[in-house]
Amino acid sequence: MTEPANSLNPNALSPNSLSIDDRFVIAAALDRILYDDPDHFAAEDARLLRRMIPRTRTAWLRLGFRAESQGPSMSGRAAGVGDVKMDGDKKVTEGGVGESAVWRCGQYKISNHGDDLEIWQVMSDEFAEEPKGARLEFGPTGTPERLTFFQPKDLELRIPFTGIAVGLRLGGWQPWKKAA
């Protein structure tokens, strides 16, 4: 994952990274925005994040996928035990198209799309059981406006007379906080 240089900090460790100090400042601002007040966040913290996280090009279409398959299973009878079933190993394949550059800052992954900053906890993404993502949105003049959280909508299509099911997760962003 390539990380563009932070043009605001001439002391960055390399042209392709944010300095460790920048990452601490970003993580602290994110902690304040997400956890300080349940209904509002400081607009200055949002402006600070937008200045520090370099803007990246965003594809007009972003798609992610996750495929799970179950290996073969066996069943039978075991002496003294009875019926026994052993499931095969689960294989998970993930990928995506149109993904933006992401910066790791503390417990967060963050990317700057210009009109918004997308924030995810490190061990979470769109496909997690309980995804933990937020989006910090800015108005046309660059004023921080609101914070939304990721609320997926899951659909499952089963193919009759087969064991095949196709799941589809559509992302949706729900209102959370407003700028103070």
Side-chain angles (χ1 to χ4, degrees):
M1 179 178 340
T2 304
E3 298 181 340
N6 180 351
S7 59
L8 296 176
N9 185 355
N11 300 321
L13 296 175
S14 74
N16 290 328
S17 69
L18 293 170
S19 75
I20 192 71
D21 292 339
D22 289 342
R23 292 172 193 261
F24 281 133
V25 169
I26 291 166
L30 285 169
D31 282 341
R32 288 190 300 271
I33 288 171
L34 297 172
Y35 299 114
D36 273 3
D37 184 318
D39 300 318
H40 298 91
F41 62 90
E44 188 51 42
D45 280 334
R47 284 189 206 95
L48 171 76
L49 291 175
R50 193 168 188 206
R51 282 192 311 268
M52 291 188 78
I53 301 293
R55 184 174 179 184
T56 58
R57 285 187 60 184
T58 303
W60 65 273
L61 177 64
R62 286 176 32 199
L63 294 173
F65 69 88
R66 177 184 173 115
E68 296 180 11
S69 62
Q70 188 77 32
S73 61
M74 298 186 304
S75 61
R77 293 191 56 84
V81 176
D83 291 335
V84 177
K85 183 175 181 185
M86 293 177 53
D87 290 327
D89 293 335
K90 181 188 267 188
K91 181 179 176 186
V92 176
T93 304
E94 293 183 351
V97 176
E99 303 274 330
S100 300
V102 175
W103 285 265
R104 165 89 188 262
C105 301
Q107 67 170 326
Y108 307 104
K109 299 177 289 188
I110 185 168
S111 55
N112 183 348
H113 302 134
D115 294 336
D116 66 71
L117 298 174
E118 197 168 311
I119 306 152
W120 289 91
Q121 281 191 336
V122 168
M123 299 301 287
S124 184
D125 61 16
E126 295 93 339
F127 302 114
E129 187 77 26
E130 294 182 26
K132 293 180 175 71
R135 192 165 61 186
L136 192 54
E137 299 175 358
F138 296 84
T141 61
T143 306
E145 290 185 345
R146 66 185 186 154
L147 184 68
T148 59
F149 68 94
F150 185 74
Q151 181 66 51
K153 293 175 178 55
D154 292 328
L155 303 172
E156 183 175 275
L157 305 170
R158 293 200 169 271
I159 300 173
F161 309 111
T162 70
I164 299 174
V166 176
L168 181 63
R169 176 167 274 184
L170 303 173
W173 298 93
Q174 301 298 317
W176 182 8
K177 299 181 181 189
K178 294 187 183 267

